Each structure stands twice: as C-alpha cells, then as structure tokens.
C-alpha cells in the first residue's frame, strides 16, 4: 500500500534541520556571511560627500537603518539620511536638511520598479543634477533601475536574485552604506558567521534557536503575538526591521490552505513600560515576550548627586549610572513577568554595542524566521499579499494619470 499526503503537520527538528540545510543551496541570504567585501570597502574610500542619502523602502532601508541606529556612535562624521516615504511634507523636510552639492544618493530597489523609490528619484532629479559623480544604484543586474544607472554611467552594486529584499541587509544594500559610514563590515559578517557555523554544527545556537522556533509553532494558536521588548533606544531600528521580517515572511497560506500568521510587536524599554506593559501584564494571555538587553552601554553618564526641592524622596537615584538604571528597569520588568508564570518569555543579552553583535542578532533572527516558516510549511520568501496591493496601486495611478 502506498501512502502520500499534502497536509500540514509539525515536523521533527531533524526534518527541519535537513530542510534548512538544503534550503541554503538555493536561498542566498544564508551564505552572505562568507562573501568578499573588498569592492564595497574600496568604493567607500572614494566617497567624499558628507551627506549620504539612502532612497529606498522596506527591505531596501530597514536593515541598514537598524545597523546605523545601533552603531551610530562608531560612525564617521558623515551624515546618513533615509528617504522612504511619499509623504510630501516629510519628503520636503528631509531634503531641506541636505547640502545637495555635497550629497551622495544611493538608490536601492531590488525589483528596480518600486513606486515609492522611483517617485522620490524623479523628485530629486527635478531639483538637482543626479549623475555618476553623486549617485549609485543597488538593484538586480537585469532590473530597469540597473538600465537607468548604466544609461547614466552610474556605478551599480548587485542584489543577488536569490536574496529577498527583507533578507538583503547583508548584501550591498546594507554593507555599502555601512562601509561609507566607517563601520567594520567584515566584523558584521563575522557575527553572522558565528551564528551560521554554530547552527549548522549543531552547537548552542542550534539548540536555542530550534527550541524557540518549535515552542512558537507548537503554541501559535494560543500565543499568536510575538513581542520583542528591546531595552535600548539604539535598537529602535532593529525593532522596525524585525516587524517587517517576521510579518511579511510568516503571514502566509500553508500547504493545507490554512492561513498562518504570527503578529510581531516591537517595544522599546523603558518607554513602553508606561504603555504596552500593562496590556502584557494583565491583558489576554496571547503573547510571548523576548527581552533584548545590552550588557555594557560603554557610557558612564551618571545621575548627579543633587537634591531637588519637593523631590527629596528620589535622592536614592543619586550617583547611579544611567546604564545601570536601564538594565535594572529591564530586570525588574522581566522578574515581574516571570513571577506571573503564565507569559512565555526569553532573554537575549547583547554583550556590547559593536558590529559583531548586531551581525549576530540580525542573522539569528533571519535564521529563526526561516526555521519557523519551515515548521509551518509556508514559502517564507514570497509576499503575494503585498504584491496584490502593488498591482491595485499601479492600476489606480495609471487611471488617475489618464
């Protein structure tokens, strides 16, 4: 008797590991950790402009913003700007801050036809001269944006076809701007390699990532909301990147036509202790929480030893370092949640604010996303729901322009 099936079931860890191992033969982001970065670094040395502008949206900018936000204390004196939105007020405000005679424009679109990006490109072309001296393009090698760049003799960097936009931060999309800003992009990739090697050698990261993925999948109907609670404003960019990576990758229809989806929520501590934390503590038990802490902020800023009239009872904070306060706030929140015993939570501690650690963090989340996608048997790397909206928008704009 022969038996076949096409319905969903939770696979074993061994089956998922085999699938991921096979997947890295065709899905390009896995092996980006081992690429040659010499072209990026050599180009970065030639950039003289002080204002560096990334024109891109979604996967073309969020990953770069995440690294920039986390490591801006290590960057050079250049200023990095992001033009993403077609909001006219925001666009004009951001452009007004640029010295257009001392700006490098980095136009990024994997498809080369992203409406927001091309619209902003046209606007910039109308107010300043874009040419090979101040503009480069990062795109697929056969895209229309690549044709535009070649027509204007502009330098281009390629986004590999087998690397999806939201997984592209470790391609030229992120590495070229970061090299220009003076960051050590090889150390970023070394962080990625650490996760890659340990996972595929079945080390500690294999165990922790697989355990987390399995828990999320086995409990996805009860705990459908996955909260990342980052205790550092420097992780604000990571939070935004995580929301896109998680939401766009995992909100899909699986093998037995069941709608899958895990809702990402990204919070910043201690700010969101005064808003969303109440919902976590006493609201519906439908959330997991991942706390991300920075062990050493490498900053000695201290609360002054002074007394303010009327606020004498808060003098116990005097002489305490701000970095100690924020981590005590994190620990207190973690303890309060753990004491409830019915909210699943885990803790990621980043040792320090450097290239190596942000590479590790972001690559581990890419890998976690792929593993969860494999468990629920979806295509982690497409986005048909997003594409549907793009088609409608295109038709509407064509009709409006008649």
């Amino acid at each position: 008797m022969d038996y076949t099936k096409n319905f969903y079931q939770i696979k074993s860890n061994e089956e998922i590991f085999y699938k991921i191992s096979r997947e890295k033969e065709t899905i390009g982001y896995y092996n980006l950790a081992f690429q040659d970065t010499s072209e990026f670094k050599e180009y970065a040395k030639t950039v003289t402009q002080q204002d560096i502008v990334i024109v891109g949206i979604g996967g073309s900018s969020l990953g770069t913003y995440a690294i920039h936000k986390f490591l801006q204390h290590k960057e050079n004196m250049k200023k990095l700007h992001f033009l993403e939105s077609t909001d006219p007020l925001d666009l004009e405000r951001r452009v007004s801050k640029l010295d257009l005679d001392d700006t490098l424009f980095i136009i990024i679109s994997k498809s080369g036809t992203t409406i927001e990006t091309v619209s902003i490109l046209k606007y910039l072309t109308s107010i300043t001269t874009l040419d090979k001296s101040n503009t480069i393009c990062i795109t697929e090698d056969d895209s229309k944006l690549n044709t535009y760049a070649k027509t204007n003799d502009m330098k281009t960097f390629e986004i590999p076809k087998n690397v999806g936009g939201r997984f592209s931060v470790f391609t030229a999309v992120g590495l070229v701007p970061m090299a220009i800003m003076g960051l050590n992009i090889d150390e970023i990739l070394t962080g990625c390699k650490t996760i890659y090697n340990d996972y595929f050698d079945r080390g500690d990261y294999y165990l922790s990532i697989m355990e987390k993925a399995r828990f999320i999948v086995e409990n996805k109907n009860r705990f459908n909301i996955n909260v990342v609670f980052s205790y550092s404003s420097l992780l604000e960019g990571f939070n935004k990147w995580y929301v896109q990576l998680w939401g766009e990758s995992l909100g899909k229809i699986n093998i037995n036509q069941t709608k899958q989806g895990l809702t990402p929520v990204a919070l910043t501590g201690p700010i969101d202790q005064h808003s969303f934390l109440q919902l976590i503590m006493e609201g519906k038990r439908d959330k997991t929480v991942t706390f991300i802490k920075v062990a050493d902020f490498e900053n000695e800023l201290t609360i002054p030893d002074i007394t303010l009239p009327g606020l004498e009872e808060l003098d116990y904070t005097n002489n305490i370092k701000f970095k100690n306060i924020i981590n005590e706030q994190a620990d207190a929140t973690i303890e309060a949640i753990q004491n409830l015993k019915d909210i699943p939570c885990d803790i990621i501690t980043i040792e320090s604010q450097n290239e190596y650690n942000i590479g590790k963090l972001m690559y581990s989340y890419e890998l976690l996303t792929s593993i969860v996608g494999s468990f629920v048997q979806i295509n982690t790397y497409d986005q048909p729901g997003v594409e549907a909206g793009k088609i409608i928008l295109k038709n509407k704009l064509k009709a409006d322009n008649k």
Side-chain angles (χ1 to χ4, degrees):
M1 179 177 70
D2 185 35
Y3 174 69
T4 61
K5 60 180 174 61
N6 67 347
F7 53 83
Y8 163 77
Q9 65 180 163
I10 297 177
K11 301 287 188 180
S12 68
N13 288 5
E14 191 63 35
E15 287 177 287
I16 295 301
F17 182 78
Y18 175 75
K19 185 176 185 297
I20 293 295
S21 298
R22 289 291 305 274
E23 195 172 85
K24 66 187 177 73
E25 298 173 8
T26 56
I27 301 300
Y29 91 83
Y30 288 103
N31 298 305
L32 292 173
F34 302 95
Q35 69 189 291
D36 181 3
T37 61
S38 57
E39 184 184 5
F40 306 153
K41 292 182 291 187
E42 287 302 312
Y43 173 73
K45 294 176 184 177
T46 70
V47 176
T48 59
Q49 290 93 340
Q50 289 303 298
D51 284 321
I52 311 299
V53 176
I54 292 178
V55 181
I57 194 170
S60 295
S61 64
L62 286 174
T64 305
Y65 180 71
I67 297 174
H68 161 67
K69 186 71 174 176
F70 189 69
L71 296 176
Q72 53 191 320
H73 67 290
K74 298 192 67 176
E75 293 176 348
N76 55 32
M77 298 304 293
K78 297 181 186 297
K79 298 177 182 178
L80 187 61
H81 310 265
F82 294 83
L83 299 182
E84 305 165 287
S85 175
T86 51
D87 178 333
L89 298 177
D90 182 69
L91 180 59
E92 285 192 327
R93 180 183 63 82
R94 290 175 184 262
V95 171
S96 70
K97 295 181 178 181
L98 304 174
D99 179 354
L100 294 177
D101 295 325
D102 195 23
T103 297
L104 174 70
F105 297 95
I106 305 177
I107 316 299
I108 306 177
S109 169
K110 179 175 169 61
S111 68
T113 56
T114 307
I115 286 178
E116 296 88 346
T117 303
V118 175
S119 298
I120 295 171
L121 173 60
K122 288 184 176 185
Y123 170 65
L124 293 172
T125 302
S126 74
I127 62 173
T128 191
T129 300
L130 299 188
D131 57 31
K132 66 180 181 180
S133 70
N134 67 355
T135 306
I136 66 172
C137 295
I138 302 177
T139 185
E140 290 186 346
D141 63 359
D142 60 352
S143 75
K144 289 180 170 60
L145 180 59
N146 192 67
T147 301
Y148 161 82
K150 295 301 184 185
T151 300
N152 290 279
D153 199 25
M154 295 171 177
K155 183 167 182 60
T156 62
F157 291 96
E158 181 183 355
I159 304 174
K161 282 190 174 295
N162 62 355
V163 177
R166 59 188 173 275
F167 288 86
S168 68
V169 61
F170 300 122
T171 68
V173 168
L175 297 184
V176 169
M178 291 300 96
I180 293 171
M181 296 304 296
L183 297 179
N184 188 334
I185 60 175
D186 290 328
E187 272 298 291
I188 293 174
L189 295 185
T190 298
C192 299
K193 288 177 193 174
T194 298
I195 299 296
Y196 177 102
N197 289 331
D198 192 89
Y199 177 82
F200 288 107
D201 289 342
R202 302 194 190 219
D204 291 340
Y205 288 115
Y206 164 82
L207 295 173
S208 61
I209 293 174
M210 193 69 81
E211 180 183 21
K212 180 170 182 170
R214 176 168 283 280
F215 179 87
I216 287 171
V217 172
E218 289 181 343
N219 295 276
K220 62 186 173 65
N221 292 322
R222 180 180 178 189
F223 301 109
N224 187 250
I225 299 171
N226 304 133
V227 178
V228 164
F229 211 146
S230 298
Y231 269 80
S232 171
S233 296
L234 302 180
L235 287 164
E236 174 204 349
F238 169 81
N239 284 2
K240 292 181 177 180
W241 174 80
Y242 153 74
V243 167
Q244 187 207 16
L245 180 72
W246 202 249
E248 199 169 62
S249 296
L250 301 178
K252 304 285 173 62
I253 298 173
N254 76 352
I255 193 172
N256 65 339
Q257 300 304 300
T258 300
K259 289 181 171 63
Q260 303 293 314
L262 293 155
T263 301
V265 172
L267 307 177
T268 302
I271 299 165
D272 288 317
Q273 286 181 199
H274 299 271
S275 57
F276 203 94
L277 180 58
Q278 174 64 35
L279 181 61
I280 294 174
M281 296 291 289
E282 296 189 352
K284 185 177 179 180
R285 292 304 190 250
D286 55 359
K287 306 166 194 69
T288 66
V289 184
T290 296
F291 290 96
I292 305 180
K293 297 172 52 182
V294 177
D296 187 0
F297 284 87
E298 301 175 11
N299 185 292
E300 301 304 313
L301 187 66
T302 302
I303 299 173
D305 187 8
I306 60 177
T307 297
L308 299 175
L311 298 174
E312 292 87 354
E313 66 182 55
L314 292 176
D315 280 357
Y316 64 84
T317 63
N318 289 359
N319 298 311
I320 297 177
K321 294 175 181 177
F322 278 94
K323 67 180 183 181
N324 293 339
I325 282 188
I326 193 170
N327 278 328
E328 292 289 359
Q329 288 170 314
D331 291 342
T333 304
I334 292 168
E335 184 176 342
I337 284 179
Q338 289 177 332
N339 287 343
L340 295 173
K341 301 184 185 305
D342 61 356
I343 301 174
C345 73
D346 60 335
I347 305 162
I348 298 171
T349 301
I350 302 172
E351 294 304 317
S352 59
Q353 301 164 241
N354 58 32
E355 291 93 333
Y356 174 74
N357 281 299
I358 194 63
K360 281 179 65 178
L361 178 65
M362 295 178 74
Y363 191 88
S364 68
Y365 260 87
E366 289 183 335
L367 189 53
L368 175 65
T369 302
S370 293
I371 294 168
V372 171
S374 292
F375 266 125
V376 297
Q377 297 180 55
I378 59 170
N379 182 345
T380 310
Y381 308 103
D382 66 358
Q383 52 276 336
V386 176
E387 296 304 322
K390 289 181 179 179
I391 293 170
I392 293 171
L393 173 61
K394 184 177 180 180
N395 292 334
K396 283 180 175 291
L397 293 177
K398 283 183 176 180
D400 291 345
N401 205 29
K402 285 183 178 179

